[in-house]
């Protein structure tokens, strides 16, 4: 939205905006999907719903709005007029007051709502807020990693990474250096991420204990941990720094942890129960 607003400011034009509150979760997920600026979020919403999102004409603007939203706020932004916001509770579980930011204000032109409308709000410092952003990001990173490592198996942003700071990627490693390559692709696709952990396909990236076990047993820090300083990161990260490293800024240091096994060297065998024995076991036989 900021890129679009800046373009309106360059053209000296006001920008029409609509805030939609309360709808199917697919609308939230689609709206928060990353990617190129020309991506149509309404098409993504339709893909998630399995049908087109029904829209209707706004009351005071030349925009379409979701027809079944609980509340719709219409308004105009003058991109040349800014104010400051905060401090607010943020997804990092800190107040964002350490960095006051310039923001646009909306001149509200209309508010429409359903009868007995429900105001849908998510606490930004809790998991339900972060989950909405994470699901859209995972697909973007998956596609980016797949472009360079076609054998990628899964991508996950764990809740412990407060929304977007940590990425776990599993791959079927085929050649030397492919683990780090996957990590580079993941961090490039998710600018706010700080740590990318790449594991083998036998590790469940949705089970954090498995990922940490892989780090504990398959990583030597001097060989498998790469630090990339001075990269654009999340402005709301309390540790983000500027070019002097003395003030708050937009940069962070990224980390790639390659927790994959070597492909051309012998490595310890993981202890796993034989599949035929495991499949033949019936828990009920032991609970009688």
């Amino acid at each position: 939205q900021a890129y679009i607003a800046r373009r309106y400011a360059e053209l000296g034009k006001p920008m029409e905006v609509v805030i939609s509150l309360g709808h199917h979760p697919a609308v939230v997920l689609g709206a928060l999907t990353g990617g190129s600026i020309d991506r149509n979020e309404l098409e993504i919403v339709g893909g998630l719903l399995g049908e087109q999102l029904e829209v209707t004409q706004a009351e005071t603007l030349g925009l379409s709005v979701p027809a079944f939203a609980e509340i719709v706020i219409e308004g105009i932004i003058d991109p040349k007029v800014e104010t400051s916001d905060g401090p607010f509770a943020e997804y990092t579980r800190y107040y964002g007051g350490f960095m006051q930011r310039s923001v646009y204000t909306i001149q509200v032109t209309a508010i429409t709502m359903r009868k007995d409308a429900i105001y849908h709000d998510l606490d930004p410092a809790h998991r339900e807020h972060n989950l909405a952003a994470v699901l859209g990001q995972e697909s973007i990173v998956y596609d980016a990693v797949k472009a360079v490592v076609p054998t990628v198996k899964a991508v996950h942003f764990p809740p412990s990474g407060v929304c977007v700071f940590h990425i776990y990627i599993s791959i079927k490693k085929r050649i030397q250096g492919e683990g780090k390559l996957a990590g580079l692709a993941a961090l490039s696709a998710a600018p706010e991420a700080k740590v990318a952990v790449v594991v083998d396909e036998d590790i469940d990236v949705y089970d954090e204990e498995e990922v940490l076990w892989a780090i504990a047993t398959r990583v030597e820090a001097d060989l498998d941990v790469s630090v990339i300083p001075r990269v654009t990161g999340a402005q709301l990260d309390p540790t983000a720094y500027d070019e002097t490293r003395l003030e708050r800024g937009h940069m962070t240091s990224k980390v790639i942890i390659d927790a994959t096994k070597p492909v051309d060297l012998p490595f310890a065998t993981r202890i796993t129960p034989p599949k035929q024995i495991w499949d033949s076991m019936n828990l009920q036989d032991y609970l009688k």
Side-chain angles (χ1 to χ4, degrees), residues 90-91 93 123-131:
E90 300 289 353
Y91 66 89
R93 301 178 194 164
D123 188 328
H126 288 79
R127 187 172 295 187
E128 68 272 15
H129 174 272
N130 294 348
L131 180 62

Side-chain angles (χ1 to χ4, degrees), residues 56-178:
T56 188
Q57 181 63 41
E59 295 288 331
T60 60
L61 308 175
L63 300 176
S64 297
V65 302
F68 296 104
E70 295 288 323
I71 303 170
V72 170
I73 303 173
E74 303 175 18
I76 303 291
I77 285 177
D78 182 349
K80 294 179 291 185
V81 178
E82 296 183 344
T83 185
S84 60
D85 76 345
F88 297 118
E90 300 289 353
Y91 66 89
T92 56
R93 301 178 194 164
Y94 294 97
Y95 285 100
F98 61 82
M99 183 176 291
Q100 291 291 319
R101 297 187 297 172
S102 295
V103 296
Y104 301 117
T105 58
I106 300 175
Q107 179 183 347
V108 176
T109 57
I111 299 177
T112 56
M113 64 184 68
R114 305 180 71 176
K115 184 180 180 180
D116 298 325
I118 298 172
Y119 181 82
H120 182 210
D121 184 39
L122 294 175
D123 188 328
H126 288 79
R127 187 172 295 187
E128 68 272 15
H129 174 272
N130 294 348
L131 180 62
V134 163
L135 294 177
Q137 287 290 323
E138 287 180 345
S139 62
I140 298 297
V141 173
Y142 181 90
D143 289 343
V145 175
K146 189 175 181 64
V148 293
V149 183
T151 53
V152 60
K153 298 300 180 182
V155 169
H156 180 49
F157 285 76
S160 60
V162 287
C163 188
V164 292
F165 287 172
H166 292 173
I167 314 173
Y168 297 159
I169 309 112
S170 65
I171 65 172
K172 182 178 181 180
K173 188 173 176 181
R174 305 162 301 167
I175 57 176
Q176 300 170 5
E178 205 166 33

Side-chain angles (χ1 to χ4, degrees), residues 207-229:
D207 183 342
E208 197 152 49
E209 185 172 342
E210 284 238 326
V211 175
L212 294 176
W213 175 75
I215 294 174
T217 61
R218 301 181 184 182
V219 170
E220 284 296 335
D222 59 329
L223 296 175
D224 303 313
V225 178
S226 302
V227 179
I228 310 170

